[in-house]
Amino acid sequence: MRHLTKLFWVVLFAFAGSVFAAADLEVNTPAISALKASMQARHNRLSSYYFSGAVGQARDGNVAVHDASLVPLAERQNVNGLVAEENRDRTALYREIARANGHPEWEAEVRSTFAQRWIDKASGGWWVQNAGGAWVRK
Amino acid sequence: MQKRIIGSLVATSLIMAGCVTINIYFPAAAAEKVADKIIDEVWQLKPDTKPAKPSPENKGEVK
């Protein structure tokens, strides 16, 4: 009887805890850290293409080749590879954030939140895709 | 007596679980916060600052 009451309170507080936890998003997992590190390392190679306008921030939360003609022919394969790798990491990042918070179905919303923030935080001179899908230079 | 406690324990759990299920919507503000943090790290930006525009004199004017 006594410990049943105790159990009752434990259950109550456990729920209260989970409600408070919902206010924040968990991003400190090994998978997310690894993805961040991989993207950070790649950024040094991608940023010159962001500045030249060859690659831009797409509205779907990915990066995309905006103008391949700005890249010398010999480098184009390399750019396509970088873009594909970056998009693989970004997709995995959105999925991992949703999963780490117990809601895999949030992946699309995580993606659209990031899409907006990548564009907002893009440096002046970079190309970004607006809501209508047109490319604009920031 | 014991049955009643177990009953109320189960009932409370179900009600609370129901509340949690209903109230858990996508935390947009929290998502924006973590997005900003991760983007700052990936792009190596200083937190809470917009990236500095490259100085205009170094940038060819596009007219």
Side-chain angles (χ1 to χ4, degrees):
Chain A
M1 162 72 199
R2 245 256 197 75
H3 52 258
L4 263 181
T5 319
K6 222 181 259 173
L7 182 66
F8 179 86
W9 285 111
V10 167
V11 170
L12 198 74
F13 281 115
F15 274 115
S18 71
V19 170
F20 285 120
D24 242 320
L25 281 177
E26 169 66 60
V27 287
N28 294 321
T29 70
I32 293 171
S33 300
L35 287 165
K36 276 196 301 198
S38 152
M39 292 164 80
Q40 205 175 52
R42 190 179 304 108
H43 180 63
N44 293 330
R45 290 185 287 155
L46 268 173
S47 67
S48 63
Y49 298 119
Y50 293 158
F51 277 110
S52 77
V55 178
Q57 308 299 317
R59 61 176 168 165
D60 63 356
N62 280 342
V63 291
V65 174
H66 157 249
D67 188 352
S69 71
L70 294 169
V71 183
L73 213 55
E75 272 180 51
R76 280 187 204 166
Q77 202 66 17
N78 178 40
V79 173
N80 288 332
L82 282 175
V83 166
E85 282 171 32
E86 175 71 8
N87 288 338
R88 243 196 320 274
D89 277 358
R90 285 193 181 191
T91 298
L93 176 73
Y94 307 148
R95 189 179 54 234
E96 283 305 323
I97 292 174
R99 268 186 37 191
N101 290 280
H103 288 270
E105 75 279 10
W106 284 352
E107 184 182 334
E109 283 160 297
V110 171
R111 173 181 282 277
S112 67
T113 304
F114 269 81
Q116 194 54 54
R117 298 311 292 154
W118 290 118
I119 288 170
D120 289 349
K121 284 179 162 276
S123 187
W126 293 11
W127 286 81
V128 300
Q129 211 174 16
N130 69 17
W135 286 99
V136 290
R137 191 164 186 242
K138 279 194 81 177
Chain B
M1 184 63 198
Q2 197 143 326
K3 251 190 190 157
R4 234 174 63 195
I5 295 217
I6 292 175
S8 63
L9 182 71
V10 169
T12 314
S13 303
L14 286 178
I15 290 166
M16 303 281 289
C19 292
V20 168
T21 311
I22 291 161
N23 283 333
I24 286 199
Y25 55 93
F26 179 68
E32 238 174 72
K33 215 170 72 186
V34 304
D36 282 357
K37 209 175 134 258
I38 289 175
I39 294 170
D40 285 344
E41 283 176 44
V42 170
W43 283 352
Q44 288 144 53
L45 307 170
K46 294 230 163 68
D48 299 321
T49 49
K50 288 261 168 185
K53 295 198 171 199
S55 51
E57 55 270 14
N58 293 342
K59 199 169 74 181
E61 281 292 310
V62 182
K63 289 265 156 87

